Amino acid sequence: MKFVVPQSKTVPNLYPESEEFGEMREVFATGYLVDLLEWTCTQAINLHLDFPNELTLGTHINVSHEADEVDGRRLEFDVEANDGIDIISRDTHERFIVDGKRFSERAASKVKQ
């Protein structure tokens, strides 16, 4: 699948309620990357199913979003989500502390004019 990233799929648009996301550079958000990966896989498999009578559900994803050099400290979180009855997801999430100005400059240098 080929996908051109629109502004609506950048970090500030993930959760408009998030001040932290709102302050970040408009780069492809990892959250939307995960959705794109699931969409691509769903399209590929639906050709071989009795869709929509047969469906697939995402059960695991292991993603590394590597676009920029990082300089700073690595943080890893163990996260868990539940629906009020059962655990529906257990994950690890890795983040890096980076210099905001350098990250913005590097991201800006990649934008096609």
Side-chain angles (χ1 to χ4, degrees), residues 20-56:
E20 294 83 2
F21 287 163
E23 294 296 320
M24 293 187 72
R25 186 86 181 155
E26 290 182 338
V27 295
F28 192 33
T30 305
Y32 289 122
L33 170 65
V34 169
D35 292 344
L36 180 62
L37 296 172
E38 286 200 293
W39 180 23
T40 302
C41 294
T42 299
Q43 284 190 332
I45 196 66
N46 280 353
L47 298 172
H48 306 283
L49 297 178
D50 180 18
F51 180 79
N53 296 317
E54 290 181 307
L55 303 171
T56 60

Side-chain angles (χ1 to χ4, degrees), residues 8 10 26 41 50 61 76 80-81 98-101 111:
S8 65
T10 60
E26 290 182 338
C41 294
D50 180 18
I61 191 160
E76 185 174 301
E80 183 177 283
V98 298
D99 181 282
K101 182 178 178 187
V111 175

Side-chain angles (χ1 to χ4, degrees), residues 12-22:
N13 295 289
L14 273 173
Y15 284 94
E17 305 85 358
S18 168
E19 179 182 348
E20 294 83 2
F21 287 163

Side-chain angles (χ1 to χ4, degrees), residues 57-74:
L57 301 175
T59 59
H60 180 80
I61 191 160
N62 183 5
V63 175
S64 177
H65 190 166
E66 300 175 19
D68 301 286
E69 179 180 338
V70 293
D71 180 24
R73 296 179 3 195
R74 178 181 162 276

